[in-house]
Amino acid sequence: MMGSALFLLLFLASLIPVSISVTITNPDSYALLSFKSSSDPSNSLSSWSPSSNPCTESWLGVTCRKNRVTRLVLENLSLNGPIQPLLQLDELRLLSLKNNNITSPLPLDLSPLTNIKLLFLSHNHLSGPFPSGLRHLLRLRRLDLSQNRLSGHIPPDLTQLPHLVTLRLDRNSFTGTLFDFPLTLEDFNVSGNSLVGEIPKSLSVFPSSSFAGNENLCGKPLQSRCSNGVAKSDPMPVLVSAGRGRRMSGKTIVAIVFADVAAMGLVVGVLFYCCCWRRRRIGGDEEEREKEKEMKRGFERRRCGEEELVFFEGCEGFERVEDLLRASAEMLGKGSVGTTYKAVVMAEEGGGGGGGGGEKVVVVKRVRERRKKVVEGKKEVDGLMREIGRQRHENVVALRAYYFSKDEILLVYDFMPNGSLHSMLHGNRGPGRTPLDWSTRLKLAAGAARGLAFLHHACESKRAHGHLTSSNILVDQEGNACISDFALDQLVHPSPPLSSSSPNKAYKAPELVDNTTSTSSKASQKSDVYSFGIVLLEILTGKMAGEDEGEGMDLVKWVRSNAAQEDSMLEVFDLELLGYKEMEVEMVALLQVALLCLNHMPRERPKMSVVYKMIEDIRARGGGGVLHSPSPNDLSSNSSPCLSEDTPTFASL
């Protein structure tokens, strides 16, 4: 008996270290296995073995960082149990359970997921009230609870989430009213519920499809007007009778209204005159003065006869117009705006704001034709150049100086010989070419999106790039994509016509081009988004924009045709990317972003800031599952980093 007892003790002792090892090595194993046991009757998660480590073995849908599960994607697997076990995964950044039969038998409390950024639970069987604990999810950016059985009121806690950009609650049974949301919200849908009341102003910017199916919602963008917060189908105004049972005549009403308007106009006019007189007495509007100072900051003029060479921040190496005009030049290419040269300037000792002697290599773009008369054009050009020259960002090519004369405009940039995105994608496709790998392509896409988003945000006048192509995305010495030639198409009056064979026509949004004239509308930031979508297709397919793919299909039509068929979707990707099988999910995700940008309707295209965030999300998923959260500095013109003066930032066309 003593021997048997000792053997039993030794046997139990041998089991204890195994249990402790699993717990210590994988703190998330128990939660995952508990979810599997209650939700996976069809054994779709057969790779989840109790004897293996989810962070070192190939568990389906699991991504880890530092031995903790940070990303869990289990979509279309017929899972049909409760979600509660997964709430123990407190290091999750991404949880996607779309298109399953997941349930929540108790009121769902999401507060344990304090690190969650992306939460996709659409097309499931979640029921009961809206999940609680949202005030603890301060990092949440995207929440999709659509196509479930949730009911009750939408909580006001959602309005307190500082980073929320996506909120999809459509096709549930929510009731009550809507709240004002912060301006960060970019994707919103509550259609197919039972909401009531007036749509808040902050949400009225979304299309009517975001609110469809709520019969008692009213206000913009819906057609139904609001009367005391209730939808009213009859939009016609009703005249109210005045007095005791007697209706006022039409002439009387018109006279009263006219007298009131005249009196109000007189009062407003007197007040306006007094305010203007007082402002002139105290020396003018201080705000306008500060604005003028800001516009003059960072550049200086140097005259050459009647013409001027204007220097912006960071221009070194020469200080006279003659230095620029006499420089030896090599033509790099011709574009729709002008001809681009590589110029070698012989700088004098101490010239150019402290620069030493020797040679200075710059890029000069010459604009000579199709400008307005000098008398009309000088002020316009000066204002445009000031606005462009103030922009400094690591993903934007800096304008260093410009020269204005009767015959031409010269624009001066830094030179760097690494070339453009166009040359990296399409140059030397024959033997001996070094393929452009997937991670580099994705990095360049993100950098270009960031630069364009910054320019859209920084320009107070809401200027558009106007002619974004892969040739206007340049690569610096550190491999960062930089946007060049921003808004330079505005120097050309009128814009040059686009022939049917012009490669630039392929980048133009549908609203800018028709079959009979060169352009039918003005370039906008939304048309820039379309052009960027074409650039993404070039990155993914390796094909040039405007290439005919057979049967009269251009690149966009060809990609859409293949993407619509699941068995041929992967055929659109560049042959150089065939070796990156593990990255196919990322490639498909970037293709979806491109197709969003290429939406035929401008209002349906996302903003560039949203495009940049989506691309960063794709990069983050491939880098261990930790999603990138762009800092406010990414899109701030005041706090964006200035480019180092001794680091080249411009690559030639």
Side-chain angles (χ1 to χ4, degrees):
M1 291 182 63
M2 289 281 293
S4 299
L6 180 60
F7 176 78
L8 180 61
L9 288 174
L10 291 174
F11 175 74
L12 293 174
S14 67
L15 294 179
I16 293 175
V18 174
S19 175
I20 293 175
S21 174
V22 171
T23 303
I24 294 177
T25 305
N26 267 294
D28 297 325
S29 295
Y30 177 80
L32 293 172
L33 293 173
S34 176
F35 176 75
K36 171 179 166 57
S37 65
S38 62
S39 307
D40 187 26
S42 59
N43 200 29
S44 299
L45 305 177
S46 58
S47 60
W48 292 20
S49 172
S51 60
S52 62
N53 187 325
C55 292
T56 58
E57 307 293 335
S58 298
W59 283 34
L60 178 67
V62 177
T63 304
C64 297
R65 185 172 183 267
K66 296 182 179 179
N67 206 41
R68 295 299 306 276
V69 177
T70 57
R71 181 175 182 265
L72 185 60
V73 180
L74 305 173
E75 302 175 356
N76 304 293
L77 296 177
S78 300
L79 303 173
N80 61 6
I83 191 178
Q84 272 75 4
L86 298 181
L87 301 181
Q88 302 175 46
L89 304 175
D90 55 3
E91 286 296 324
L92 273 181
R93 270 66 166 175
L94 165 63
L95 175 60
S96 182
L97 302 174
K98 293 189 291 187
N99 294 299
N100 286 290
N101 300 309
I102 302 298
T103 61
S104 56
L106 299 175
L108 185 57
D109 182 7
L110 299 176
S111 58
L113 301 178
T114 53
N115 288 300
I116 198 72
K117 292 184 178 181
L118 305 181
L119 184 57
F120 304 111
L121 303 177
S122 62
H123 295 82
N124 279 289
H125 294 163
L126 300 179
S127 58
F130 200 103
S132 61
L134 293 171
R135 66 180 182 276
H136 301 290
L137 311 185
L138 298 180
R139 306 178 72 181
L140 186 64
R141 294 171 57 191
R142 306 190 190 278
L143 176 62
D144 189 349
L145 299 176
S146 59
Q147 301 273 4
N148 276 285
R149 302 171 180 175
L150 297 168
S151 58
H153 289 204
I154 299 174
D157 289 357
L158 284 171
T159 64
Q160 305 303 315
L161 300 179
H163 304 295
L164 190 67
V165 294
T166 295
L167 180 60
R168 300 295 301 267
L169 306 177
D170 42 299
R171 302 301 178 87
N172 280 281
S173 300
F174 291 120
T175 58
T177 58
L178 292 171
F179 303 94
D180 263 313
F181 277 81
L183 297 179
T184 56
L185 201 61
E186 298 285 354
D187 182 14
F188 179 80
N189 196 321
V190 291
S191 60
N193 285 283
S194 301
L195 300 170
V196 300
E198 184 174 2
I199 297 173
K201 184 177 180 180
S202 62
L203 299 178
S204 63
V205 297
F206 294 100
S208 58
S209 58
S210 296
F211 307 95
N214 294 274
E215 294 182 359
N216 293 315
L217 273 183
C218 57
K220 292 183 179 180
L222 300 179
Q223 297 297 324
S224 55
R225 298 179 59 193
C226 293
S227 176
N228 296 326
V230 179
K232 183 178 181 180
S233 58
D234 181 11
M236 296 300 294
V238 179
L239 290 177
V240 181
S241 60
R244 295 187 178 181
R246 293 187 300 173
R247 189 182 299 271
M248 296 180 65
S249 67
K251 292 183 179 180
T252 304
I253 294 175
V254 171
I256 294 174
V257 172
F258 182 82
D260 289 343
V261 171
M264 184 64 69
L266 180 61
V267 172
V268 171
V270 172
L271 291 175
F272 180 79
Y273 176 81
C274 293
C275 289
C276 292
W277 178 80
R278 178 175 175 80
R279 287 172 65 181
R280 286 196 296 269
R281 284 287 304 271
I282 63 176
D285 192 343
E286 290 296 328
E287 182 179 348
E288 290 298 323
R289 284 205 226 166
E290 288 300 319
K291 188 173 182 180
E292 182 67 21
K293 290 179 182 178
E294 177 64 26
M295 291 181 66
K296 292 181 178 179
R297 191 175 299 136
F299 69 90
E300 58 176 306
R301 298 179 180 273
R302 294 169 190 171
R303 300 190 66 84
C304 176
E306 295 301 319
E307 294 124 7
E308 295 175 322
L309 181 63
V310 182
F311 288 82
F312 294 96
E313 177 186 358
C315 187
E316 295 180 355
F318 63 95
E319 63 174 339
R320 298 180 304 176
V321 178
E322 292 90 336
D323 295 335
L324 186 61
L325 298 180
R326 294 174 182 174
S328 60
E330 171 191 348
M331 190 177 76
L332 299 175
K334 290 185 177 182
S336 59
V337 175
T339 306
T340 305
Y341 300 85
K342 171 186 174 183
V344 181
V345 180
M346 300 301 297
E348 294 184 357
E349 188 76 17
E359 296 181 347
K360 172 71 174 180
V361 182
V362 296
V363 165
V364 180
K365 185 176 289 291
R366 168 174 276 170
V367 184
R368 303 188 66 171
E369 299 175 348
R370 294 186 295 271
R371 279 197 300 110
K372 288 182 178 180
K373 294 184 298 183
V374 172
V375 175
E376 297 175 2
K378 185 173 182 179
K379 184 177 181 181
E380 179 186 9
V381 170
D382 191 57
L384 177 62
M385 292 297 99
R386 289 189 189 190
E387 185 170 5
I388 297 175
R390 288 199 305 271
Q391 310 307 331
R392 292 291 183 270
H393 192 274
E394 60 186 357
N395 295 112
V396 174
V397 176
L399 176 64
R400 296 303 187 186
Y402 80 93
Y403 167 71
F404 188 98
S405 74
K406 296 179 180 179
D407 302 316
E408 63 186 4
I409 301 173
L410 302 180
L411 310 172
V412 182
Y413 303 90
D414 295 331
F415 171 80
M416 199 178 76
N418 280 1
S420 65
L421 175 61
H422 184 275
S423 64
M424 297 180 75
L425 286 171
H426 310 303
N428 186 24
R429 276 275 170 171
R433 168 178 163 83
T434 301
L436 194 60
D437 63 70
W438 171 245
S439 61
T440 300
R441 296 187 193 213
L442 196 54
K443 177 184 177 182
L444 293 173
R450 184 181 180 217
L452 189 56
F454 163 78
L455 289 168
H456 282 183
H457 176 84
C459 290
E460 296 178 1
S461 58
K462 302 299 181 184
R463 291 189 190 274
H465 187 290
H467 64 301
L468 181 71
T469 68
S470 59
S471 296
N472 291 332
I473 299 174
L474 309 169
V475 185
D476 67 14
Q477 287 181 333
E478 297 176 357
N480 299 312
C482 302
I483 301 294
S484 73
D485 290 6
F486 179 72
L488 294 190
D489 65 325
Q490 298 182 35
L491 293 177
V492 181
H493 303 283
S495 298
L498 295 173
S499 66
S500 58
S501 61
S502 172
N504 287 342
K505 186 175 182 179
Y507 294 90
K508 294 293 183 181
E511 65 269 18
L512 299 185
V513 181
D514 62 31
N515 296 326
T516 57
T517 61
S518 60
T519 57
S520 58
S521 184
K522 186 178 180 181
S524 66
Q525 293 186 353
K526 288 294 187 178
S527 64
D528 282 354
V529 175
Y530 185 95
S531 301
F532 186 79
I534 300 294
V535 172
L536 291 182
L537 291 190
E538 289 189 76
I539 291 174
L540 287 163
T541 66
K543 299 180 182 296
M544 294 187 190
E547 273 191 303
D548 190 346
E549 299 301 328
E551 298 181 0
M553 288 194 296
D554 60 17
L555 181 59
V556 177
K557 291 180 180 177
W558 178 74
V559 169
R560 282 177 174 158
S561 175
N562 284 278
Q565 307 174 41
E566 188 173 343
D567 57 345
S568 60
M569 177 183 292
L570 298 181
E571 295 181 8
V572 306
F573 299 127
D574 193 347
L575 293 177
E576 292 181 350
L577 299 176
L578 291 181
Y580 299 91
K581 292 291 185 181
E582 69 280 7
M583 302 300 181
E584 284 180 356
V585 174
E586 296 178 34
M587 296 177 195
V588 172
L590 189 63
L591 178 60
Q592 292 172 342
V593 174
L595 294 177
L596 283 175
C597 296
L598 294 170
N599 198 298
H600 191 82
M601 298 298 295
R603 67 179 183 180
E604 298 295 335
R605 298 170 200 155
K607 294 181 180 179
M608 277 309 305
S609 58
V610 177
V611 174
Y612 165 56
K613 291 174 184 177
M614 289 191 289
I615 297 176
E616 278 299 312
D617 284 348
I618 296 171
R619 294 184 69 199
R621 294 178 194 180
V626 181
L627 297 176
H628 171 76
S629 217
S631 69
N633 291 345
D634 286 344
L635 302 178
S636 170
S637 60
N638 294 328
S639 55
S640 60
C642 291
L643 299 176
S644 172
E645 302 303 339
D646 54 3
T647 303
T649 57
F650 188 86
S652 61
L653 293 175

